[in-house]
Amino acid sequence: MNELAAKVIRTLGQRTLHLAVAESITGGLIGATLTTVPGASKVYLGGVVSYATRLKSQLLGVPVDTIAAHTVVSEEVAIEMAVGLQERTNADWVIAVTGVAGPDPQEGHDPGEVWICVLGPRIASLPQFQQTERFQFEGERDAVRAQTVDAAFTMLLRVVSPV
């Protein structure tokens, strides 16, 4: 079991908060990692794996114009993925990830380039926190994907104060 995933489940569970994930580069690995933790179903609502570009628009509502202007490997698309998923799930917190695992570049982006967006909490009376970060990870596909999962959990835990 992933220690960071366990902290995410424990922290959100103690606060009765729910999480959803919008995954591209990780292809479902974030959700799979979360669900190895006992009790994950109390926190993790689920996610959308929008690996193909068109699914980012069709399932998450990312505007085609945003993709055309910035490519799918961008801060703007990561944010739109997070916003779109939160609108569809009403999750308190959302993580969205997009990037290039490699081995080849994509749309001018080198392997290892990853954008992660953390968005939440969804509370009517408060403005939402949004943090987006760019990473340049090293290694083969599996290493880039694993580093993306850990970075996403770390970003979330930074803002929800782990217990």
Side-chain angles (χ1 to χ4, degrees):
M1 175 177 32
N2 181 298
E3 185 178 316
L4 288 171
K7 282 184 181 179
V8 166
I9 297 301
R10 184 173 57 248
T11 301
L12 295 180
Q14 288 184 352
R15 291 170 173 81
T16 319
L17 297 172
H18 296 98
L19 173 67
V21 297
E23 301 186 63
S24 182
I25 185 174
T26 49
L29 188 57
I30 294 174
T33 303
L34 286 167
T35 57
T36 64
V37 180
S41 62
K42 293 177 183 150
V43 170
Y44 180 57
L45 296 177
V48 171
V49 178
S50 57
Y51 206 66
T53 298
R54 68 182 172 85
L55 291 183
K56 289 171 183 61
S57 294
Q58 291 174 352
L59 298 178
L60 296 171
V62 177
V64 174
D65 293 346
T66 301
I67 294 171
H70 303 283
T71 79
V72 294
V73 183
S74 65
E75 177 178 25
E76 293 82 3
V77 168
I79 292 167
E80 293 288 350
M81 288 171 64
V83 169
L85 185 63
Q86 192 176 56
E87 289 172 354
R88 286 155 177 78
T89 63
N90 289 318
D92 300 297
W93 287 94
V94 173
I95 296 171
V97 296
T98 186
V100 183
D104 300 317
Q106 178 185 348
E107 298 178 324
H109 300 276
D110 290 330
E113 181 179 342
V114 174
W115 285 94
I116 301 174
C117 180
V118 171
L119 178 68
R122 188 178 184 109
I123 300 171
S125 61
L126 297 174
Q128 287 198 86
F129 173 85
Q130 174 190 301
Q131 179 182 3
T132 310
E133 237 177 285
R134 180 190 181 277
F135 297 88
Q136 186 61 54
F137 296 125
E138 300 295 326
E140 301 294 321
R141 288 179 61 81
D142 287 346
V144 169
R145 294 172 68 233
Q147 290 171 81
T148 301
V149 171
D150 286 349
F153 293 156
T154 299
M155 283 178 64
L156 179 63
L157 288 168
R158 240 186 286 157
V159 295
V160 295
S161 302
V163 292

